[in-house]
């Protein structure tokens, strides 16, 4: 099973069942970490070195079935890196994900999965 697809439903299940702000932050944090890690792998496989870890945020609002994410960082050479993503049907066992990675304002890749667990 794809890594992000495994993380997202578990995170949202906790969000839905708990109603607790602490659990919501932990679940969103797990998703942000999974996307940051997956994007770093994708960039590395394409020869792009990062200055540090990507910083990711999940904006609030919208329906529970849609989760958005935006990650930013810089390459070792200083070019801006932006990862945007959206997961629809996020409250199901099989969310539909779409990610776009840009480096220096140019699209590097578009994918429905990020990282080594993608097939």
């Amino acid at each position: 099973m794809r890594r992000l697809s495994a993380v997202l439903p578990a995170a949202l299940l906790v969000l839905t069942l708990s109603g607790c702000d602490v659990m919501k932050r932990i679940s969103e944090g797990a998703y942000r970490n999974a996307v940051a890690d997956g994007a770093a792998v994708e960039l590395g496989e394409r020869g792009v070195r990062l200055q540090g870890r990507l910083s990711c945020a999940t904006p609030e609002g919208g329906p529970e079935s849609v989760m958005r994410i935006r990650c930013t960082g810089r390459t070792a050479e200083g070019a801006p890196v932006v990862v945007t993503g959206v997961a629809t049907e996020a409250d199901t066992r099989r969310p539909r994900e779409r990610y776009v990675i840009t480096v220096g304002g140019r699209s590097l890749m578009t994918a429905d999965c990020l990282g080594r667990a993608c097939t």
Side-chain angles (χ1 to χ4, degrees):
M1 178 178 234
R2 296 180 325 175
R3 184 170 150 206
L4 293 179
S5 292
V7 171
L8 187 58
L12 289 172
L13 179 62
V14 170
L15 284 173
T16 303
L17 296 179
S18 73
C20 177
D21 287 339
V22 172
M23 291 307 292
K24 181 177 180 181
R25 285 194 303 270
I26 290 169
S27 299
E28 287 175 358
Y31 180 56
R32 287 190 304 267
N33 284 336
V35 173
D37 291 347
V41 167
E42 297 291 349
L43 289 162
E45 288 177 354
R46 288 161 177 79
V48 177
R49 293 179 315 137
L50 294 170
Q51 275 184 7
R53 185 165 175 78
L54 293 170
S55 174
C56 299
T58 50
E60 292 189 29
E64 288 183 16
S65 63
V66 177
M67 187 167 217
R68 297 186 185 283
I69 191 161
R70 179 179 170 86
C71 305
T72 58
R74 295 220 170 254
T75 67
E77 295 77 25
V81 175
V82 177
V83 179
T84 57
V86 64
T88 58
E89 300 178 32
D91 55 349
T92 69
R93 290 176 131 310
R94 297 201 183 268
R96 297 179 185 270
E97 303 168 39
R98 193 65 164 171
Y99 301 95
V100 176
I101 300 177
T102 61
V103 176
R106 298 179 127 173
S107 180
L108 180 68
M109 68 171 287
T110 300
D112 62 2
C113 182
L114 297 174
R116 291 188 178 101
C118 298
T119 55

